[in-house]
Amino acid sequence: MLSRLGDIAEVINAEIVGDPAYGISGAGTLKNALPDQISFLANRQYSEYLRTTRAGAVVLAREDLQHCPVNALIVKDPYLGFVKAVRFLYPEPAYQSGIAPSASISNSALIHASVCISAHVAIGAGVIIEENVYIGPGCVLEQNVVIGKNTRLVANVTLCHGVRVGERVLLHPGVVIGADGFGMANENGQWLKLPQLGSVIINDDVEIGANSTVDRGALGDTIIEEGVKIDNQVQIGHNCVIGAHTAIAGCAGVAGSVTIGKRCMIGGASAISGHIEIADDVIITGLSGVSRSITQAGTYSGAMVVSDIMTWRKNTARFRHLDELARRVAVLENKLKKET
Amino acid sequence: MLSRLGDIAEVINAEIVGDPAYGISGAGTLKNALPDQISFLANRQYSEYLRTTRAGAVVLAREDLQHCPVNALIVKDPYLGFVKAVRFLYPEPAYQSGIAPSASISNSALIHASVCISAHVAIGAGVIIEENVYIGPGCVLEQNVVIGKNTRLVANVTLCHGVRVGERVLLHPGVVIGADGFGMANENGQWLKLPQLGSVIINDDVEIGANSTVDRGALGDTIIEEGVKIDNQVQIGHNCVIGAHTAIAGCAGVAGSVTIGKRCMIGGASAISGHIEIADDVIITGLSGVSRSITQAGTYSGAMVVSDIMTWRKNTARFRHLDELARRVAVLENKLKKET
Amino acid sequence: MLSRLGDIAEVINAEIVGDPAYGISGAGTLKNALPDQISFLANRQYSEYLRTTRAGAVVLAREDLQHCPVNALIVKDPYLGFVKAVRFLYPEPAYQSGIAPSASISNSALIHASVCISAHVAIGAGVIIEENVYIGPGCVLEQNVVIGKNTRLVANVTLCHGVRVGERVLLHPGVVIGADGFGMANENGQWLKLPQLGSVIINDDVEIGANSTVDRGALGDTIIEEGVKIDNQVQIGHNCVIGAHTAIAGCAGVAGSVTIGKRCMIGGASAISGHIEIADDVIITGLSGVSRSITQAGTYSGAMVVSDIMTWRKNTARFRHLDELARRVAVLENKLKKET
C-alpha cells in the first residue's frame, strides 16, 4: 500500500522539497532503498550514499539538502523523523482476539474478550489480563499475574506469580520476570535461602529484550519504571529500581538493590554492583564496572580495549607492578630534590 | 495466619526481649515493616531505621538492643536468624499431585504418584521422577532424565537427554541443563563438531537461576556438587566440576573443563578460562577474569571500575604506553646511579 | 555395537599399529577409557596417562607411539582424528518422522513428510520446513519461517517471523532468533522504537548454543554465514554479519551493525561495540572489549586478570593516577636533561 509523501511529511512535521503526491510503500538504507522506499541521513559518515541513492525520498537536515537527488523531507533530527515515518508506514500488526484450543487457562483467570492467547499458553489462578493484550505461544503466567492493556508477550515468556505488567509493554521471547532473587544466609559453610517475598512491577511502555531476566524482590518489589528499554540478555537483580526512560544495552548485569536514575544509558556488557545508587542522566559506556554510587550526571567509563597481544602482554605485565613503579618514581623525585 | 513470637524465637534460637505471645504474620524491611511483621538489623548502615521502625519485632545483635523500640529477638547472626524466621513463616508451597491433561508423557517414563506435572510439559522415554517433584508449565525433559525427590522445575526448563538431578533442587525458568558443550576440531578452516557423549549431574540442594545454562560433558560428565547456588544467566561449560556449597553470582561464565573448589564465591559477571583449577574457599570479586589456576584460598580481584570519561581516557591512553613508561623510569634510575 | 579398528583407521585416514580386527564400541579419556573404547593424545600435558591407559586404542602423533601400550592410530592431528572417529562411532540419532498430536500447526504451513515435530510445538502461517528436520518440544516458529534440510531445533527454541534457517543447522534449547533489535530514537527524553523491518538469515552448518540470541535487522537482515559456531548465551545485535566459519565462545556480546570476518575466533565473555568491522582471521582473547575496527588478521587481547585483592587494590589505585605519574616521569626526564 502506498502512502503519499505529503502525508508522511505531515506526520513527521517535515518541510517537503519535492512531490507531495509521490507514493512511498516502505523504508530502507540510503544504499539499498528502492524508489518506493523512504530513507534518511543522520550520520555524515554515510553522505556518499546520499548522492547516488535510489530512494524515493530522504529524511535529512537542511544542510544536506543540496546533495539530495530525490524528494527530501527536512527536519531537525533526521533519525527521529525517520523513526516516525517508519512507524507511520508500518503500524503495529493487529491480532485476532481469541483463545487457542491448546491454551491451559485457570477458571479463576479474568481475561478480556479482546485478548489473543496463543497455542500452549499456561495461565494460573487469579490472573487478570486487560484489553488487546497478545500472549504468544508457549508463555507461562503463574498465579495472580496482572497484565495491562495493549501489552504484548512475543513467545516463551515466563511471568512468575504476582508479577504486575503495565500497558503497552513489549516482552521478547525467553524473558523471565519474577524468578527468585539470589538471597541467602550462610550457616556453617552452607547456604540457607531467604524466601523471596516481593514481586516485580513493570510499568507502562517498557520493552525487555530476548532472554533478559528481572528478579522478584526479597521483601519489597523490584520496579521497572515507565518507558525503560532493556536489550537482550540483561539481568536485573532483586529490589532494583530502574528509573523512567533509562535504556540498558545487551548483556549488562545489575546486581541486587541497585537504584538507577531516570534517563540513564547503561552500555552493553556493563556490570553494576549491588546496593549502590546511580543518579539521573548518567551514561555508562560499555563493558564498564560500577562498584560505587554515582551521584553526578555525566559520562563514566571503565572499559579496557584490545591491543595486539604482544603489546597487551607487555603493558599488563607492567600493570602488575604499577604500585612498585610509582614508588620508584617517588624515590627518583626525592633524589633529585635533595640534589638540587 | 499469626505465629507467636515465642515460637519464632525458639525456631531461630533467639533470646526474646518482649512479649512471646505477640503475633507475627509476615516479614519486611526495618523501614517498611508493619506491626504484624518481623524485621532485622544486620548492616549498621540501616541503624537509623531501627529507632523508628513500626515492625512488630526485630532480629538483631545484642549491641543494637538499646535502640530497638519494639520486641527484639537477639541472635549472633541477625541475617541468618531472620532468614530462618522467614522460612518458618513462609513454608514452601504444597503442590497438588497430578498430571495436567495437556502434558505429553512417554509410556516408558516412571513417575511417582505424588508428582505434579503442569500444562504443556513434555517427558521423553525412560524418564524417572521421584516423590513430590514439581514440574512447572512448558518444561521439557528429554529421554532418560532422572529427577530426585522434592525437586522443583519452575517453568520452561529444558533438561536434555540423560541429565540427572538430585533432591531438593530448584531450577528457575529458562534453565537449560545438558545442551552440547562447545567442542570441535578445525579441518582446513572449517569446524567439525565432537559429539558430546557425557551428561550433567546436578547434586542435592542445588539452585540454578533463570536462563542459566550447564553444558553436558564431552566424554565424562559435568558435575554440580551438593548445595551449589547459581544465580541467573550463568554459563557453566562442559566437564566443569563445581565444588559443594560454592555460590556463583549472575552473568558469570565458566569455560570448559574448569574445576572450582568447595565453598567458593564467584562474583557476578566474572569469566573463568578453560582447563584451570580453583582451590577451595576462593573468593573472586565481580567482573574479574581468571585465566590461570588459583591454588590458595583467599580473595582475588581483577575488575577495573569506572571514572569520569575524561580521566578514564587519559589514564588508559597512558596504559597503552605503560611498558615504555616503565623503561623510561629504568633509564632515569640508571642515570642517577651513574651520577652518584 | 562394535566397530573394527581397521574401519576406524580408514575413516580417519590413520596408520594402524596393532590389530585391525580389534573391536571398539565407544570413546573416553586416556585416564578413564575402557578396553572397548578409543582415546587420543593431543596435549603432551596428558602424556603420563598414555603409559597406563586401558583404552582399546589411542589416536596419537608418531612421536608418542613409543609410549603407547595399546593399539595405536597414527595421524598428524590427533584431536581431529579422534573427532572423526567419535563421529563415526556415534552417528547422529535418527528421528521418527511425524507430528505430535499436541503440536499446533497453521493450515498454510508446508511441512515435508519426513519431518519430526514434537509435543507442544507452535507453527505459524506460511512456514516452510524441508526434509528431515527435527523440531523439538516447545519450539515456536512464527509466520513465514523457512527451515532447510536436516536442521535440528532441540527444544524451546523461538524463531520469530520471517527468519530463514539453512541446512544442517543445530539450534540448542532457549535460542531466540529474530527478536527485535535495540533501535530507537529519543524525543524529549523518551524513547521511540524503530520498527525492526529486517530479518535474520542463518546459513548452512551453523550451530548456536543454549539461550543465545540473534536479533533481526532494522532495515536489512542480520546474517550468520555458513559454518559459524556460536556457544551459549551469546548475543548478536541487529544487522551484524558474522563471517563464515567464525567461532564465538560463550557469553560474548556483539552490538548492532558489526561485521566480523571469516574464520575469526571470538573469546568468551568478549564484548564488541556497534558499527565496527573486524577483518578475517582475527582472534580476540576472552573477556576483551573491542571498540574500534580491526583491519589486520592477528591476535588481540584486552583482558585484565585477577591478582590477590591487596595487590590489585594497590595497582588500580595507581592506575587512577597513571596520567599524573606519566607527567611526573616527564618532569624528571626534563630535569635530568637540563642538568646534563
Side-chain angles (χ1 to χ4, degrees), chain B residues 102 187 193 215 318 328, chain C residues 84 120 207 232 323 333:
Chain B
S102 64
E187 184 176 32
K193 179 190 178 78
D215 279 350
R318 298 297 186 176
R328 284 162 52 197
Chain C
K84 288 181 174 178
H120 314 310
E207 178 169 352
N232 293 4
D323 182 55
E333 287 170 334

Side-chain angles (χ1 to χ4, degrees), chain A residues 1 17 20 39 90 96 99 108 110 168 200 206 209 211 232 235 248 298 302 320 339:
Chain A
M1 213 192 64
V17 178
S39 189
Y90 298 86
Q96 220 183 330
I99 296 179
S108 66
L110 290 174
R168 297 172 304 280
V200 181
V206 167
N211 283 351
N232 294 4
Q235 150 70 356
I248 304 180
R320 283 195 289 276
E339 283 182 18

Side-chain angles (χ1 to χ4, degrees), chain A residues 102 187 193 215 318 328, chain B residues 84 120 207 232 323 333:
Chain A
S102 64
E187 184 176 31
K193 179 189 178 78
D215 278 349
R318 298 297 187 177
R328 283 162 54 197
Chain B
K84 288 181 175 176
H120 314 310
E207 178 168 352
N232 293 5
D323 182 54
E333 287 170 333

Side-chain angles (χ1 to χ4, degrees), chain C residues 253-324:
Chain C
V254 184
S257 299
V258 170
T259 297
I260 297 181
K262 298 183 198 304
R263 298 172 304 277
C264 292
M265 294 172 66
I266 310 296
S270 288
I272 300 181
S273 298
H275 298 273
I276 67 173
E277 290 192 30
I278 295 179
D280 294 344
D281 301 300
V282 165
I283 297 173
I284 307 287
T285 65
L287 199 57
S288 295
V290 185
S291 61
R292 292 190 197 170
S293 291
I294 295 178
T295 56
Q296 300 261 18
T299 301
Y300 298 81
S301 189
M304 307 301 289
V305 293
V306 294
S307 44
D308 69 275
I309 193 164
M310 294 310 297
T311 302
W312 181 260
R313 279 188 184 155
K314 280 192 290 187
N315 288 329
T316 50
R318 298 297 186 176
F319 178 83
R320 285 195 288 276
H321 301 283
L322 185 54
D323 182 55
E324 185 201 317

